[in-house]
Amino acid sequence: MRVLFVSSEVFPLIKTGGLADVSGALPAALKTSDVDVKCLIPGYTSVLEKVENKTHLGTLEVFNNISCELISATIPNTKVEVIIIKHAGLYERDGGPYTHPHGHDWSDNPMRFGVLSKVASLLSIYQSFWSWVPDIVHCNDWQTGLTPYYMRQQGITDAKTLLSIHNIAFQGNFEQHWIQSLGLSPIDFQIDGFEFYQQVSFLKAGIFYADQISTVSPTYALEIQTEAFGFGLEGLLQIRSKDITGILNGIDTDEWNPEADPYLPSTYSEKKLAGKSQVKTALQEALHLTADSKKPLLGIVSRLTHQKGLDILIESMPELIELGCQFAVLGGGEKSFEAQFLAYAEQYPNQVAVTIGYNEPLSHLIMAGADIFIMPSRFEPCGLNQLYGLRYGTPPVVSNTGGLADSICHTNDETIKNNTATGFVIENVNKMSLLVTIKQALSIWNDQKTWKKIQKNGMKKDVGWKHSANAYVELYKKLLN
Ligand code: ADP
């Protein structure tokens, strides 16, 4: 089975969030399940720098006046083959994959990801330099949403399409004038097409034209079909309901492994947890928090946005600081959240440490060194940090939504007794619920014997990709039938 896996970010080449983690790990897991998989990704500067074994494949005329060089290369570690779209004007820039160094979106994002979508469709058919024609084109998020449309427009491909939705809040909706330069047919600018509230919607196009749709957890698959979570696309998703599958993400258990994590000053395992306290001390020292093992240390690694419910945590912090909690916060996003976290750090330097920005080594250190991980998300398609928390013996406090609901079992007398407790689930996303739940976690943390049980339950869980990769293989088979 040949699968072209199309994504705008692939770890470790480029990453802004969970999509990159999935796009790095899932193809690698598929490869071990005998799927012949190649990734397709834009040639951002960091991608061109980090890949190995680059070879020129050929040149494609994509749109009028836009042609791209295609390069084949391999991803370090996993050795998955990646096809890179090289176009210096579109992709080789300072800043992020979607944003200018000053933070605003690149104004030509429709073209940058229109090209990604179009190249994927062109690689679903024979080209003079390309005989590896895929059976399935696996698209991910809005950046690849036009691919199923272009493939239908071409009308000559046998390949089937799967669109995976990692976050429906990001839709890639752009002004109508893009129709012409993206080579779209004005006739399809309508409700039964890619039009969404008078805009060109990449994600809607994907949902409308893909053969199958998946999301990154079973609960989120149901949630996006409701008004509360569908961001306006719930009606279309209800129509496509029978074609939607929810598959919970796994994690890269080599990259996230407390027994061999190069970012940690000491490693540990479910059987030998002692190393975790040493990491905690190192983390407290590195962040200039009071180095005291008796102080509960709460970890947060996140985009600092409304989605992640961190405003509720911010409201709860005075009470938790009063209780003696410490906070290690890493993230970036909305300026007001950054400012409020930083203000606490300034006021309580021994208890609150805030690092703004993206920092891979520190994210591992927090995951391992914190006692409890906090994720009060308003919605969470899958969420990866709670899975890292399980693996690192850092039980998470999560809200009852999406992949959080599907992966964390709330601690109570019964789940402690039957060894299924792995974390703490907030009933509602509000300050009161969050405080009640964190206090519950703290009281169990004070009873270290029970706490260790919960840590071990989580650490024993199989959170790798094998199971999920098998579910994708089943979905691919269904598509081919
Ligand atoms: P989302 O994709 O919505 O941001 P996920 O939980 O699915 O959330 O994935 C987020 C990923 O990005 C995780 O691997 C998390 O550790 C990582 N991450 C988020 N913010 C940072 C940061 N500031 N520094 C390092 N890693 C981060």
Side-chain angles (χ1 to χ4, degrees):
M1 199 183 327
R2 289 174 170 177
V3 176
L4 182 67
F5 191 95
V6 192
S7 180
S8 59
E9 37 184 296
V10 175
F11 183 83
L13 309 179
I14 179 96
K15 170 170 166 178
T16 69
L19 172 63
D21 290 325
V22 176
S23 305
L26 174 56
L30 290 169
K31 209 172 117 181
T32 62
S33 301
D34 285 335
V35 175
D36 184 2
V37 60
K38 295 183 202 279
C39 292
L40 176 68
I41 185 170
Y44 316 112
T45 310
S46 76
V47 169
L48 293 165
E49 283 168 2
K50 287 183 183 167
V51 290
E52 294 169 345
N53 309 315
K54 277 186 267 184
T55 46
H56 171 81
L57 268 184
T59 304
L60 269 185
E61 173 92 24
V62 186
F63 296 122
N64 286 340
N65 305 323
I66 295 199
S67 55
C68 299
E69 182 193 349
L70 294 183
I71 295 172
S72 159
T74 46
I75 300 175
N77 306 334
T78 63
K79 308 297 173 211
V80 169
E81 186 179 346
V82 58
I83 311 298
I84 301 165
I85 307 170
K86 182 164 167 53
H87 187 295
L90 288 175
Y91 303 124
E92 291 166 52
R93 306 172 172 178
D94 292 336
Y98 318 117
T99 52
H100 189 273
H102 293 308
H104 58 78
D105 285 356
W106 295 112
S107 59
D108 59 350
N109 275 347
M111 183 52 70
R112 298 170 73 240
F113 298 107
V115 167
L116 173 64
S117 297
K118 181 75 178 188
V119 170
S121 74
L122 293 171
L123 294 185
S124 74
I125 50 181
Y126 283 96
Q127 303 290 339
S128 57
F129 59 86
W130 180 257
S131 57
W132 186 92
V133 172
D135 301 303
I136 287 165
V137 179
H138 186 159
C139 306
N140 291 279
D141 272 351
W142 73 264
Q143 295 87 344
T144 60
L146 290 181
T147 302
Y149 173 79
Y150 287 133
M151 285 169 66
R152 294 215 184 186
Q153 197 185 38
Q154 285 162 198
I156 47 169
T157 171
D158 292 330
K160 301 288 183 203
T161 50
L162 169 64
L163 173 75
S164 289
I165 301 172
H166 300 258
N167 191 335
I168 205 164
F170 301 111
Q171 303 183 339
N173 299 333
F174 302 104
E175 287 174 29
Q176 193 176 343
H177 69 76
W178 284 100
I179 289 177
Q180 198 186 2
S181 44
L182 291 173
L184 307 169
S185 304
I187 199 172
D188 298 318
F189 188 69
Q190 52 146 319
I191 189 158
D192 289 328
F194 54 75
E195 181 267 342
F196 187 53
Y197 292 100
Q198 287 303 305
Q199 291 192 297
V200 173
S201 175
F202 278 47
L203 188 66
K204 188 197 163 190
I207 295 171
F208 190 83
Y209 292 103
D211 296 308
Q212 284 283 322
I213 297 156
S214 73
T215 69
V216 288
S217 69
T219 295
Y220 194 59
L222 298 174
E223 286 175 341
I224 56 173
Q225 296 177 53
T226 67
E227 201 182 334
F229 293 92
F231 284 83
L233 289 165
E234 60 277 6
L236 176 59
L237 287 161
Q238 283 160 19
I239 292 169
R240 298 229 47 193
S241 191
K242 67 171 182 23
D243 299 322
I244 304 176
T245 310
I247 301 174
L248 192 71
N249 286 334
I251 61 168
D252 182 335
T253 48
D254 292 328
E255 192 61 33
W256 292 91
N257 178 7
E259 291 183 52
D261 188 328
Y263 296 124
L264 305 186
S266 69
T267 52
Y268 59 94
S269 67
E270 174 227 326
K271 295 206 171 68
K272 274 178 119 182
L273 266 168
K276 184 166 166 67
S277 349
Q278 291 165 30
V279 183
K280 177 174 174 180
T281 309
L283 176 63
Q284 286 171 321
E285 283 171 0
L287 298 178
H288 308 293
L289 301 168
T290 306
D292 180 350
S293 63
K294 299 265 172 333
K295 300 272 181 215
L297 176 50
L298 278 46
I300 293 103
V301 179
S302 180
R303 288 185 292 116
L304 304 180
T305 62
H306 184 74
Q307 176 200 335
K308 302 292 180 180
L310 294 170
D311 46 323
I312 290 152
L313 177 67
I314 287 168
E315 279 176 43
S316 312
M317 279 173 70
E319 204 168 322
L320 295 168
I321 289 168
E322 190 70 30
L323 287 173
C325 292
Q326 295 183 340
F327 292 86
V329 182
L330 167 64
E334 288 172 29
K335 296 294 163 219
S336 70
F337 290 161
E338 293 181 3
Q340 289 175 86
F341 277 123
L342 286 169
Y344 283 127
E346 200 173 301
Q347 203 179 344
Y348 305 99
N350 301 328
Q351 276 182 272
V352 182
V354 176
T355 310
I356 301 297
Y358 185 86
N359 187 328
E360 193 73 26
L362 183 58
S363 73
H364 285 245
L365 203 58
I366 293 178
M367 195 50 78
D371 295 301
I372 303 169
F373 199 83
I374 310 291
M375 288 182 83
S377 307
R378 290 193 164 80
F379 65 94
E380 194 59 78
C382 175
L384 294 172
N385 283 314
Q386 83 281 12
L387 302 176
Y388 302 148
L390 293 179
R391 187 144 167 86
Y392 278 66
T394 310
V397 170
V398 302
S399 41
N400 193 12
T401 184
L404 302 175
D406 291 337
S407 57
I408 302 302
C409 178
H410 185 58
T411 299
N412 56 35
D413 290 346
E414 195 188 327
T415 58
I416 291 173
K417 209 187 286 169
N418 65 20
N419 288 324
T420 54
T422 53
F424 301 86
V425 180
I426 307 162
E427 241 163 59
N428 299 298
V429 182
N430 60 38
K431 178 182 164 187
M432 205 157 72
S433 257
L434 180 63
L435 275 173
V436 165
T437 311
I438 294 181
K439 284 181 191 168
Q440 188 207 352
L442 291 174
S443 80
I444 296 184
W445 182 73
N446 283 320
D447 162 13
Q448 276 292 310
K449 198 167 151 231
T450 309
W451 190 256
K452 286 216 164 68
K453 260 181 111 174
I454 298 169
Q455 285 179 300
K456 289 182 179 191
N457 290 343
M459 294 178 90
K460 274 190 219 149
K461 277 200 94 128
D462 179 6
V463 288
W465 266 104
K466 186 94 193 105
H467 183 72
S468 312
N470 287 342
Y472 278 101
V473 172
E474 287 311 308
L475 187 51
Y476 294 156
K477 285 184 186 157
K478 181 174 161 188
L479 265 166
L480 296 179
N481 288 331

